[in-house]
Amino acid sequence: MTEKQKAAAYWKENLKYLVILLSIWFIVSYGAGILFKDALNTIKLGGFKLGFWFAQQGSIYVFVILIFVYVRLMNKLDKKYGYNE
Amino acid sequence: MSVQVWTWILVGITFSIYFGIAIWARAGSTKEFYVAGGGVSPLANGLATAADWMSAASFISMAGLISFMGYDGSVFLMGWTGGYVLLALLLAPYLRKFGKFTVPDFIGDRYYSNTARTVAVICALIVSFTYVAGQMRGVGIVFSQFLQVDINLGVIIGMTVVLVFAFLGGMKGITYTQVAQYCVLIFAFMVPAFFISMQMTGNIIPQIGMGGTVEDGTFLLDKLDTLHTQLGFKEYTSGSKSTWDVFAITLALMVGTAGLPHVIVRFFTVPKVKDARKSAGLALLFIAILYTTAPAIAVFARTNLIETVSNTEYKEVPEWFKNWENTGLIAWSDKNNDGKIQYVNGSATDGKPKYIDERGKYGERMVSNANDSANELYVDRDIMVLANPEIAKLPNWVIALVAAGGLAAALSTAAGLLLVISTSISHDLIKKQIKPDISEKGELLAARISILVAIIIAGLFGIYPPGFVAAVVALAFGLAAASFFPAIILGIFDKRMNRQGAIVGMIVGITLMLFYMIRYKTGLIGVMDPRPASEWWFGTSPEGFGTVAMVVNVIVSVVISRMTPAPPKDVQEIVENIRIPSGAGEASSH
């Protein structure tokens, strides 16, 4: 592979990760926390209505996990293409 | 010991620490001043970013706002944390690879245009000044509350303190004071939360306690919903904003967070691209500790407040009620003359309470603007966090600790913002445009002078505040969303984006946002003050309008870029280069 092809392949995989991770980001916050919260509120998690829980706490936990998953994925990807330092 | 004495002691200790660090971390070069020398560890950067970004609004106002807004308050929780995902995935690594000092630097180089650079500088100044105004006000409130000084004097003390560590140390001084400030503010926020959660639910972890049960065996949240319904409020867990508006505000806050120049610039201070990613994750982790606690505090405080004051004889109310009444943040007027406090849905006074120099028959402060709604109680949202330890009858040192934490939150953010303002002027305007042959020493001096001027202006904003803390801050996010964010994202992900598109996009975005903000928030355009919600465009509140302005910015940028020539070859190479993490080197000097 030439440098250019390598860079393009790296970028493509990166974009794939972004699409997947950002879809989860969207689903937990705008989906579970806002658009479908009324439906989810009929389910209870201890004292929490589920939609309300996602909006006030759950989505935040997911956000933190998402970034660390991204860090791991990208570190691996960097290694795979020899871009790690 | 009294709260006063404790407060002086704790504030004294924490301030000495900040000063000590400021003196230790004096900056000698512009690189140290702008990006702390580029050698900050991801952990330190994560801590500093968390402190930088958690402002007086996060610490003082947010739990209070949520407490009054219930579900609707989720916009702040999701909005102000979700932006970090965007920041970590879409911005931080690429901007770190690009490796300059500021956001206008990126925009100026990527769009090969000093016009773009200048537009970015102006946007950075507008965003930062709007935001810093709220911080200075927060400092004033905390000082006046706990040290019994005048609010304006409090603002001036705060200005002086920020001046010392920003002026001496630049980014280097700020980074390490912010690490200390994070520790102070998170400790101060968590301690009362642990106490109160334990008291109310028997569970020491507030995040879990929030969903726990209270003494009579019912779930706390169910109980609060019932209390709310009985008093005529909307159910706490349902909220009253339209789904679209919640959506729009959350998005504006997320995108705004990712576009805030003082947060972005922090990712220039770490050595490598992978450190930039990691420190974004750490920053959010540290922020999440406070942000998942805040909704719990909101629920505890709300329940406590209602149970303490509702239908209570004024003679019987606890000491804190009268203290806060004296500071003007609580007001009661006995409209039905029964001597009891009726706290129901509706506003007790027309606007903020206007006090007259007389006491009523129960010793309450009289207000001149009570209206005829059934609600008799005015409570300022900003007091919820500050008064919470008193309401829950916590020991004096805890109350004092909250004061120290509030100051840490406000001062760290103010310092970060002032640095962005000064860098924009000394680096992006003077060095890059007006006087490129300026010496390093001259540039450093210019940076310090601009910090001084910025602090004075920020202080004036603090003394003559444009609105209450969190509202102003929320609008700064809208401005960042409407201006920077699209230009940066498109600059990285759309190789075809050119200067014409980006410049027009930024100008259209920020003008639209400013127009909407001024028209619907202040009433300066048109006569009504402010314009009613029924006139909002597509039912979008000014806080959520950043989303609309951002979308317009993106559309305008893309359309115009496709109608004008592609960017030159070397710029396209820059874009390809920043997409690859290796070889970032140090944040380059100029």
Side-chain angles (χ1 to χ4, degrees):
Chain A
M1 261 196 297
T2 65
E3 264 314 303
K4 229 180 162 109
Q5 283 171 322
K6 207 172 81 170
Y10 173 85
W11 184 245
K12 216 174 136 198
E13 281 202 51
N14 179 2
L15 289 182
K16 192 182 75 192
Y17 292 154
L18 291 185
V19 170
I20 296 170
L21 294 173
L22 287 177
S23 307
I24 301 172
W25 165 82
F26 189 86
I27 291 166
V28 292
S29 49
Y30 297 94
I34 299 175
L35 299 174
F36 307 114
K37 65 120 177 157
D38 289 334
L40 287 175
N41 274 348
T42 54
I43 306 167
K44 276 192 111 180
L45 188 81
F48 290 107
K49 292 175 182 166
L50 197 58
F52 177 77
W53 180 78
F54 264 110
Q56 301 227 320
Q57 287 193 13
S59 55
I60 302 178
Y61 298 133
V62 178
F63 295 155
V64 176
I65 296 167
L66 279 179
I67 299 185
F68 283 105
V69 169
Y70 169 74
V71 170
R72 265 194 78 118
L73 287 173
M74 290 309 282
N75 285 348
K76 269 199 202 154
L77 194 65
D78 290 355
K79 272 206 191 98
K80 183 173 160 194
Y81 286 90
Y83 289 136
N84 59 320
E85 292 171 283
Chain B
M1 276 193 284
S2 72
V3 176
Q4 278 281 294
V5 177
W6 270 116
T7 309
W8 282 110
I9 294 175
L10 288 177
V11 170
I13 294 173
T14 51
F15 276 39
S16 326
I17 297 173
Y18 308 152
F19 283 134
I21 295 174
I23 293 166
W24 165 74
R26 276 191 315 274
S29 65
T30 47
K31 201 177 151 205
E32 286 189 338
F33 199 89
Y34 293 148
V35 294
V40 179
S41 76
L43 178 66
N45 192 48
L47 289 165
T49 309
D52 198 336
W53 182 73
M54 284 194 286
S55 56
S58 295
F59 190 95
I60 302 171
S61 304
M62 191 178 67
L65 275 172
I66 299 170
S67 197
F68 283 82
M69 292 166 75
Y71 167 80
D72 291 340
S74 313
V75 296
F76 301 114
L77 296 163
M78 288 190 286
W80 284 340
T81 53
Y84 271 81
V85 178
L86 297 176
L87 193 59
L89 272 56
L90 303 179
L91 299 173
Y94 309 108
L95 291 174
R96 174 62 195 85
K97 176 65 194 294
F98 174 73
K100 293 285 176 60
F101 293 145
T102 65
V103 173
D105 233 358
F106 173 77
I107 296 197
D109 286 7
R110 167 62 181 86
Y111 295 113
Y112 46 99
S113 148
N114 270 343
T115 315
R117 193 187 305 272
T118 309
V119 174
V121 170
I122 294 169
C123 296
L125 292 179
I126 295 176
V127 171
S128 304
F129 271 120
T130 324
Y131 200 8
V132 85
Q135 304 310 312
M136 296 322 284
R137 190 69 188 166
V139 174
I141 291 177
V142 178
F143 267 111
S144 77
Q145 213 48 66
F146 288 93
L147 305 177
Q148 307 295 317
V149 295
D150 185 62
I151 270 196
N152 294 348
L153 181 61
V155 171
I156 294 167
I157 299 174
M159 284 163 59
T160 320
V161 177
V162 176
L163 186 67
V164 173
F165 51 75
F167 190 83
L168 277 179
M171 187 55 123
K172 197 176 167 203
I174 287 176
T175 300
Y176 296 106
T177 33
Q178 280 172 342
V179 172
Q181 281 161 339
Y182 176 79
C183 301
V184 173
L185 83 86
I186 201 70
F187 187 69
F189 200 80
M190 297 309 290
V191 167
F194 288 145
F195 271 109
I196 297 168
S197 182
M198 194 68 204
Q199 271 181 7
M200 289 188 72
T201 67
N203 193 322
I204 195 160
I205 312 285
Q207 284 85 343
I208 301 171
M210 180 182 172
T213 50
V214 285
E215 265 170 17
D216 57 8
T218 51
F219 284 118
L220 178 59
L221 283 166
D222 291 343
K223 182 176 176 181
L224 185 53
D225 274 345
T226 316
L227 283 174
H228 259 229
T229 324
Q230 283 167 356
L231 298 177
F233 295 100
K234 280 261 172 27
E235 243 187 9
Y236 187 84
T237 55
S238 302
S240 54
K241 281 193 199 311
S242 74
T243 302
W244 159 246
D245 206 27
V246 171
F247 193 98
I249 297 174
T250 307
L251 189 56
L253 293 179
M254 280 195 189
V255 172
T257 294
L260 278 184
H262 73 290
V263 175
I264 293 178
V265 75
R266 291 229 55 94
F267 295 98
F268 292 96
T269 66
V270 292
K272 290 182 216 148
V273 170
K274 78 189 259 211
D275 300 331
R277 296 183 196 129
K278 190 173 168 195
S279 69
L282 287 170
L284 182 59
L285 176 68
F286 297 132
I287 289 163
I289 298 174
L290 189 146
Y291 270 65
T292 50
T293 305
I297 291 188
V299 170
F300 302 147
R302 184 75 187 159
T303 314
N304 254 338
L305 176 77
I306 294 179
E307 293 202 309
T308 313
V309 299
S310 184
N311 262 322
T312 307
E313 300 261 351
Y314 180 80
K315 299 187 298 253
E316 311 277 307
V317 294
E319 190 59 30
W320 61 263
F321 189 95
K322 290 170 187 169
N323 286 345
W324 288 91
E325 193 182 353
N326 286 334
T327 66
L329 296 178
I330 278 184
W332 173 65
S333 55
D334 193 13
K335 292 174 193 169
N336 61 358
N337 282 313
D338 64 352
K340 287 182 184 167
I341 299 168
Q342 263 76 44
Y343 182 48
V344 293
N345 195 12
S347 55
T349 51
D350 296 322
K352 294 209 164 202
K354 295 192 182 71
Y355 295 94
I356 48 178
D357 246 355
E358 268 172 66
R359 292 276 172 170
K361 64 177 166 183
Y362 304 100
E364 81 273 19
R365 285 183 80 183
M366 303 279 279
V367 291
S368 61
N369 59 341
N371 55 24
D372 50 9
S373 88
N375 183 29
E376 299 180 342
L377 183 70
Y378 167 89
V379 186
D380 190 290
R381 290 148 203 234
D382 280 352
I383 75 167
M384 293 311 284
V385 165
L386 299 174
N388 208 20
E390 290 176 76
I391 298 176
K393 304 190 195 75
L394 297 184
N396 285 346
W397 65 270
V398 178
I399 300 168
L401 190 61
V402 171
L407 287 173
L411 293 176
S412 58
T413 305
L417 287 162
L418 289 165
L419 195 75
V420 164
I421 295 170
S422 99
T423 316
S424 300
I425 293 169
S426 65
H427 184 72
D428 299 309
L429 279 185
I430 299 180
K431 166 81 186 169
K432 288 282 176 158
Q433 304 196 43
I434 299 170
K435 198 166 178 268
D437 58 340
I438 192 169
S439 68
E440 164 121 1
K441 237 177 132 186
E443 194 184 340
L444 205 53
L445 182 68
R448 290 196 159 122
I449 294 172
S450 12
I451 276 212
L452 187 66
V453 176
I455 287 182
I456 293 169
I457 299 174
L460 287 174
F461 271 132
I463 293 168
Y464 308 101
F468 79 89
V469 178
V472 178
V473 170
L475 292 174
F477 283 80
L479 290 171
S483 58
F484 284 130
F485 184 78
I488 303 174
I489 288 286
L490 292 168
I492 298 164
F493 289 87
D494 180 14
K495 235 196 291 181
R496 181 66 178 71
M497 183 49 58
N498 62 10
R499 69 168 168 220
Q500 290 86 344
I503 294 172
V504 179
M506 280 192 288
I507 295 175
V508 170
I510 202 158
T511 311
L512 192 61
M513 182 66 208
L514 278 173
F515 166 79
Y516 200 79
M517 202 174 117
I518 293 168
R519 182 177 172 92
Y520 289 93
K521 217 52 189 180
T522 67
L524 283 179
I525 305 174
V527 264
M528 270 179 278
D529 179 25
R531 293 201 161 240
S534 57
E535 288 192 19
W536 289 348
W537 299 358
F538 332 110
T540 318
S541 59
E543 287 79 9
F545 194 75
T547 298
V548 178
M550 174 192 65
V551 172
V552 173
N553 180 337
V554 171
I555 295 172
V556 167
S557 300
V558 171
V559 168
I560 291 190
S561 71
R562 295 311 186 265
M563 286 158 47
T564 43
K569 198 104 188 88
D570 56 319
V571 170
Q572 301 200 24
E573 270 162 24
I574 295 185
V575 179
E576 275 173 17
N577 187 270
I578 56 173
R579 291 177 176 183
I580 294 163
S582 61
E586 297 184 345
S588 64
S589 309
H590 22 278

